[in-house]
Amino acid sequence: MRILVYGAGVQGCELAHRLLQNKKNVVTMLARGEWKERLDQRGLVIRHWAQCRTTVDRVATIDTLAPDDCYDLVFVTMQAGQLPDVLPILKQNRSEYFVFVGNDPHAVEVMQAMQRPVDKIAFGFQSSGGHRDVDKVVSAHVGVGMTIGGATAPLSGVFRYRVKTAFEGARYKLTFVSDMDGWLKCHLALILPACYLCYACSGNLSKATKEQRDLVLDAAWEACEMLKAAHIPVDDKENTDCYRAGTPGRRKMDAMVLALCKTPLGRLCVSDHAMHAVAEMQYLDEAFEGLRARTSVRMTAWDALRSQMPSWDIMRKKTAKAKR
């Protein structure tokens, strides 16, 4: 199977590594600049942090996608805020099947912009984190997989078979759902409070207080209630019930948040991305505020936590300064 991974950040690199475990796949990555040169010269080097091992894969690269280039499957691993710039390029390409991977609050709009049959566009979220160094990717995971499905409907049997075939022989778990637009919006209910906490602590989650950790989960519960008021499908068992105070699910989430704040896993899985992707987080925050505007649900914990972070302008300036 000829597969293109469009984007060579942490998510795209881990995904390409998994796809290359299927020796029947011919995998190509779209990368640019010095990182493309690095991939061409040294290969795809990934340090798997939790597993204490390093892998090196040889992978073909391109820096542009021509309209006539054709792949059996295209995984798009760009940040949501970058998609408006690349959607015209993707739309013109003659490949049929596309999977958009990552946090995206506008799955339906992306699907419509691609101007393809509904059963040719999928959305997914990969369970891995980390950061990219000069010469390698540091990937943090305890078992990589993807939650995947159509924007508002299950994948067709043909599409589902194609995705399964791509990962044959790979150590990769696929979870198929029927409404990824709703799933991704629910996912933001936890992602954004965690992001606010990172910014409030200047990226050092070990500084988070017990009160702040509680606010993260209280805010996530409020967000689920707000989404329901906005007529967004919410799986209570997987979301609301995990954040409601006093429930067994909440106690498990309390333990998880504590572990993320007190161990290096939190830096690799949460704060590394939040601190290096301020523009993406602001894009997601603005999209979520747009959903809130459709309801009258009060979100006191959400607002309290959000007010503790610096302004988005300050965060962007800090990021720009750190890159210099």
Side-chain angles (χ1 to χ4, degrees):
M1 184 177 290
R2 296 187 71 243
I3 300 175
L4 173 65
V5 177
Y6 193 103
V10 175
Q11 294 288 310
C13 289
E14 180 64 52
L15 178 58
H17 167 67
R18 299 293 160 170
L19 289 166
L20 285 164
Q21 290 177 348
N22 182 346
K23 302 306 179 183
K24 296 179 181 179
N25 289 335
V26 178
V27 180
T28 302
M29 297 190 74
L30 186 139
R32 297 189 176 96
E34 293 182 1
W35 185 243
K36 181 182 185 304
E37 294 177 8
R38 187 76 62 177
L39 291 172
D40 292 340
Q41 293 169 3
R42 299 190 57 185
L44 174 56
V45 182
I46 302 180
R47 177 62 179 175
H48 302 272
W49 179 80
Q51 292 73 28
C52 299
R53 66 187 184 93
T54 299
T55 59
V56 182
D57 297 294
R58 287 293 170 181
V59 59
T61 66
I62 58 173
D63 57 10
T64 57
L65 178 64
D68 288 337
D69 292 343
C70 188
Y71 296 89
D72 299 308
L73 200 53
V74 179
F75 289 93
V76 183
T77 60
M78 308 293 289
Q79 294 178 7
Q82 298 170 332
L83 285 180
D85 293 331
V86 303
L87 279 173
I89 298 171
L90 298 171
K91 182 179 70 174
Q92 293 173 6
N93 182 258
R94 69 189 185 100
S95 303
E96 288 189 87
Y97 292 90
F98 288 79
V99 182
F100 290 84
V101 182
N103 289 306
D104 194 336
H106 302 303
V108 172
E109 291 87 343
V110 170
M111 177 185 68
Q112 293 169 344
M114 286 295 289
Q115 296 183 357
R116 278 172 168 74
V118 173
D119 62 351
K120 299 296 176 68
I121 304 295
F123 295 84
F125 187 86
Q126 182 171 271
S127 56
S128 64
H131 62 268
R132 200 174 75 184
D133 287 340
V134 175
D135 59 346
K136 65 180 178 298
V137 165
V138 178
S139 182
H141 56 83
V142 289
V144 185
M146 183 183 295
T147 301
I148 182 172
T152 58
L155 294 185
S156 68
V158 173
F159 202 160
R160 190 167 174 145
Y161 176 78
R162 188 168 293 221
V163 171
K164 286 184 174 181
T165 301
F167 290 99
E168 282 183 354
R171 293 184 293 276
Y172 200 87
K173 181 181 179 181
L174 293 168
T175 302
F176 292 94
V177 300
S178 60
D179 182 0
M180 277 303 292
D181 183 64
W183 191 97
L184 288 165
K185 286 180 169 67
C186 291
H187 189 61
L188 292 182
L190 181 61
I191 291 297
L192 283 172
C195 166
Y196 303 150
L197 179 60
C198 287
Y199 296 153
C201 297
S202 299
N204 185 356
L205 288 173
S206 66
K207 295 181 179 179
T209 65
K210 172 70 164 59
E211 180 184 9
Q212 287 175 316
R213 297 197 303 269
D214 288 343
L215 279 176
V216 168
L217 297 180
D218 290 340
W221 178 80
E222 291 176 343
C224 291
E225 294 299 309
M226 182 278 292
L227 289 172
K228 286 188 278 189
H231 307 293
I232 305 298
V234 176
D235 184 336
D236 285 327
K237 183 179 178 180
E238 298 295 327
N239 295 280
T240 322
D241 294 347
C242 295
Y243 310 133
R244 184 181 289 110
T247 64
R250 172 62 179 256
R251 287 191 285 274
K252 290 180 180 178
M253 292 301 295
D254 282 333
M256 185 197 78
V257 172
L258 179 62
L260 288 175
C261 289
K262 298 301 182 182
T263 70
L265 196 61
R267 174 177 60 82
L268 288 162
C269 292
V270 182
S271 59
D272 271 358
H273 183 71
M275 300 306 291
H276 289 89
V278 173
E280 179 191 12
M281 293 300 114
Q282 182 178 6
Y283 180 87
L284 298 176
D285 174 73
E286 290 172 352
F288 210 78
E289 288 301 301
L291 290 171
R292 282 188 69 180
R294 292 159 46 179
T295 77
S296 59
V297 175
R298 295 185 64 214
M299 300 176 64
T300 55
W302 185 283
D303 291 334
L305 186 59
R306 191 168 181 262
S307 69
Q308 294 180 24
M309 63 169 275
S311 70
W312 288 113
D313 286 340
I314 291 175
M315 289 306 307
R316 287 198 304 272
K317 290 176 182 177
K318 284 184 177 181
T319 301
K321 184 177 180 180
K323 289 181 178 178
R324 287 200 295 266

